[in-house]
Every structure is written in structure tokens, then in C-alpha cells.
Amino acid sequence: MFKLFRSKFYIAIALLVFVFLFGIFGYRYFGEYNWIDAVYMTVITVTTVGFSEVRPLDGEAKIFTIILIISSVFIFAFAISIITEFLLVRSTVQQIKLRKMKRKINQLKDHVIICGYGRNGKQAALKLLRYKKPFVVIESNEEVIEKEQDDQVLFIQGNANEDEVLLEAGIEKAQVLITALPNDADNLFVVLSARQLNKGLNIISRASEESSQRKLTLAGADRTIMPDKIGGDHMASLVVLPDLVEFVRQLAIEGKDTITLEEVSMDDLPEKYKYKSLIDLNLRSVTGCTVIGYKEASGDFIINPEGDTKLLPNCKLVVLGRPEQIKKLNEMFNIKESFV
């Protein structure tokens, strides 16, 4: 419906432009006025202000003036009604969207908050969408929101440095906060505010300078990421380890035949497998997936764990496999895709 009104809005604007051009060229031809006088006569005629004409009109010019007045009255009435309706409908649609979005945000729990929807924030959002992890984006630029907004991404317009905006995003119920603002000082303020509002929040912050990493950690960030450093390291790796980089790149590509990394929590496994060993789980034979890592409850990782490694509570497996193998893993053990 809004698109229909928008098309009518453009038609109304086009008709107004047509009336003015019609009047200017008409007075230029029938009244033999110069361009300035033709514009003046058109304006005072279509607006019906009652000013006197530049000079007396002859018969043809008077007939043209009558036609111009009648047509402009109808066109102006139509244009004003359409423009007014368009503005009202647009305001109403925006209010409806805003209320709907606020309801969805209020229902979120254990979600992710992304501060900033630039290059890094958008990449984070795409990854979360792929893993069906609920999230909300805080963005200060209204133009970015209007351009990127859709039914899948929830936006809050505002400054992520402000506590009120973070509370509106549901920070008290959130699981993770990703602050990807371009300025390190802004990220620092967001981390400080977020940590005060939610002590158990997992905070991941972007950093541009190495000197900012320590400050962000002291402020409460659990992890700090330097995209520029990662990018430079990646380019150098393309020179010295091209095949390894290509393999890792395949892990990040979505597709039918690409390789996927997945993590599986021991708490998601059926009861009969708990406290068993990797050999008892027999993932390779059952699903085709390969276990390449084991995260202990303490947070330590074991790379390429032994077959007798026990499946203990609060631990996780890092599994490598093709998408169809990962899907078989989830179906076989009735577990959901996890959030990495």
C-alpha cells in the first residue's frame, strides 16, 4: 500500500511541474513575454494571488490563461490531497513498524546486541542470521537504517553510548554484545556502560589501535578484535601459505560442497552418551564428521583429542564436516545448530 501512495506522490509532483512548464511556455508563445515575465505570469496565475499582469493580454492569451487557471486548480487540489495522504500514510507506516519492532525486541532473551552497522557490524549480522541467533542492531544513522531495514534485522536508532538505548535493546537479558563502532573511544564507552548494566554479559569489541586493546579489556571487554590486523595477516598468509588460506576460506563459505566447522555442547547430547568417550560416540562412522577439538569446562582447548577423551558436562566438541554431514549429526543426536 505504501508503494502505491509513493507512486501517486511522484505523479502529483510531475503534474505540478507540468503545470508550471505549461504556463511558462504558454505565456512565452501566446503573450510573447520574455522568460522572466513568463515565469512571473505563471506563478501569479496558478497561485491565484490576484496581482496584475505585466501588460494587457490579447484574446489568445486570455483563453490560455483561463485554461491554465482551471487546469491548475484541479491539479493543485489533486496534488495537495495526494501529498498530504502520502505524508500521513508514511508516518503511520513508520509508527506501525516501530511498535512492531519494539514488541519483538521486548520478547528477546539471550540475544546479541550489535552496536554499529558498518562493514564489521553487517558481517556479524549476516553470520548471526545464518545461525538463526536472535539479535538487535543499534545504529545512529537514520539513512543506514532506512536502507538496510528488513523483516530479519531489528534496528534501534540511537547512540550506543547511552544507557537508555542499551536498555531499550534489552541488554539486561542479552547474552552477547558486539560493539563494532569505528572509533575506539566510542567502543570503550559502550563497553563500560554495558558491563555496568549486565555483569554476566559476553562483550566483544572492535579495536583500531593496539593500544586500545588493553583499555577495552580493562573496561570489561571479554575479547577485542582488530579487523585491520587480521586483514593484513590474511594477505601475508596468501603469499606464504596460499593452500592453507584457501582451505580456511572454504570453511567460511556457504554452499553445498563446502566444509563447515560446528561446535557441539555435551549438554545437548542424549543422556546415554554423557560421560562416555569419543570412541563410544563414534561420530566419524555414524555421521562422517571429524572431531578436531575439545573444549574443557575450564575453557582450555585440546587439539585433535584422543579417542578415550570423556564427554563431560559443560564441555564442547569442535567438529569438521560438510553441511550434509553436520545436518546428519544434528538429526542423529537431536541437537540444534550451535552459536559459534
Side-chain angles (χ1 to χ4, degrees), residues 25 27 91 178 201 204 211 293 304 315:
F25 283 100
Y27 280 116
S91 177
I178 300 174
L201 188 68
I204 303 171
S211 59
N304 195 22
C315 297

Side-chain angles (χ1 to χ4, degrees), residues 106-271:
N106 291 335
Q107 294 172 356
L108 292 178
K109 185 179 180 182
D110 294 333
H111 59 287
V112 180
I113 299 175
I114 301 176
C115 301
Y117 204 65
R119 182 176 64 255
N120 297 301
K122 191 172 183 178
Q123 287 296 320
L126 291 174
K127 189 75 171 181
L128 294 176
L129 283 173
R130 178 190 171 193
Y131 280 82
K132 299 179 181 179
K133 181 70 177 179
F135 66 93
V136 58
V137 177
I138 299 176
E139 173 58 49
S140 60
N141 192 327
E142 186 177 0
E143 293 182 359
V144 172
I145 296 177
E146 291 182 354
K147 180 181 177 181
E148 302 290 345
Q149 192 173 36
D150 56 39
D151 295 335
Q152 292 183 303
V153 182
L154 300 176
F155 280 99
I156 291 179
Q157 184 184 355
N159 192 335
N161 295 336
E162 300 176 359
D163 291 353
E164 294 79 7
V165 176
L166 292 173
L167 289 170
E168 187 179 351
I171 192 170
E172 294 174 317
K173 299 182 294 181
Q175 180 184 18
V176 181
L177 181 137
I178 300 174
T179 175
L181 301 175
N183 187 286
D184 286 352
D186 292 335
N187 287 320
L188 183 62
F189 278 116
V190 172
V191 171
L192 284 169
S193 299
R195 182 56 69 202
Q196 292 298 317
L197 295 171
N198 188 338
K199 301 295 183 181
L201 188 68
N202 181 16
I203 301 178
I204 303 171
S205 176
R206 176 187 186 274
S208 300
E209 304 291 338
E210 291 187 7
S211 59
S212 301
Q213 285 188 296
R214 183 172 179 273
K215 296 176 184 177
L216 288 164
T217 302
L218 291 174
D222 296 286
R223 297 181 185 179
T224 57
I225 307 297
M226 294 186 64
D228 295 337
K229 183 178 180 180
I230 293 174
D233 181 78
H234 180 78
M235 287 186 285
S237 297
L238 286 172
V239 177
V240 296
L241 299 168
D243 293 332
L244 178 59
V245 172
E246 176 61 22
F247 176 77
V248 174
R249 188 182 72 86
Q250 290 292 327
L251 297 180
I253 296 177
E254 295 184 43
K256 182 177 180 181
D257 299 321
T258 56
I259 304 171
T260 303
L261 279 174
E262 185 68 87
E263 67 175 32
V264 179
S265 173
M266 297 300 98
D267 299 329
D268 293 334
L269 292 178
E271 197 66 32

Side-chain angles (χ1 to χ4, degrees), residues 16 19-20 23 27 38-52 65 68-77 80:
L16 291 176
V19 166
F20 278 100
Y27 280 116
V39 172
Y40 172 77
M41 286 297 296
T42 301
V43 171
I44 67 173
T45 301
V46 299
T47 57
T48 65
V49 295
F51 290 163
S52 62
T65 301
L68 179 61
I69 291 173
I70 295 174
S71 60
S72 64
V73 167
F74 283 104
I75 290 175
F76 266 73
I80 291 173

Side-chain angles (χ1 to χ4, degrees), residues 257-297:
D257 299 321
T258 56
I259 304 171
T260 303
L261 279 174
E262 185 68 87
E263 67 175 32
V264 179
S265 173
M266 297 300 98
D267 299 329
D268 293 334
L269 292 178
E271 197 66 32
K272 64 179 181 179
Y273 290 108
K274 294 180 180 179
Y275 297 98
K276 299 291 184 177
S277 66
L278 288 178
I279 294 178
D280 297 325
L281 194 60
N282 197 20
L283 275 185
R284 181 65 180 172
S285 299
V286 177
T287 67
C289 297
T290 302
V291 178
I292 63 172
Y294 181 83
K295 183 181 179 181
E296 299 178 323

Side-chain angles (χ1 to χ4, degrees), residues 275-329:
Y275 297 98
K276 299 291 184 177
S277 66
L278 288 178
I279 294 178
D280 297 325
L281 194 60
N282 197 20
L283 275 185
R284 181 65 180 172
S285 299
V286 177
T287 67
C289 297
T290 302
V291 178
I292 63 172
Y294 181 83
K295 183 181 179 181
E296 299 178 323
S298 61
D300 295 330
F301 279 91
I302 299 176
I303 307 300
N304 195 22
E306 301 294 336
D308 59 356
T309 301
K310 298 295 182 181
L311 307 177
L312 303 177
N314 301 321
C315 297
K316 292 183 178 180
L317 293 178
V318 180
V319 178
L320 181 69
R322 294 190 300 276
E324 65 271 16
Q325 294 173 332
I326 296 296
K327 183 178 180 180
K328 189 174 181 181
L329 168 73

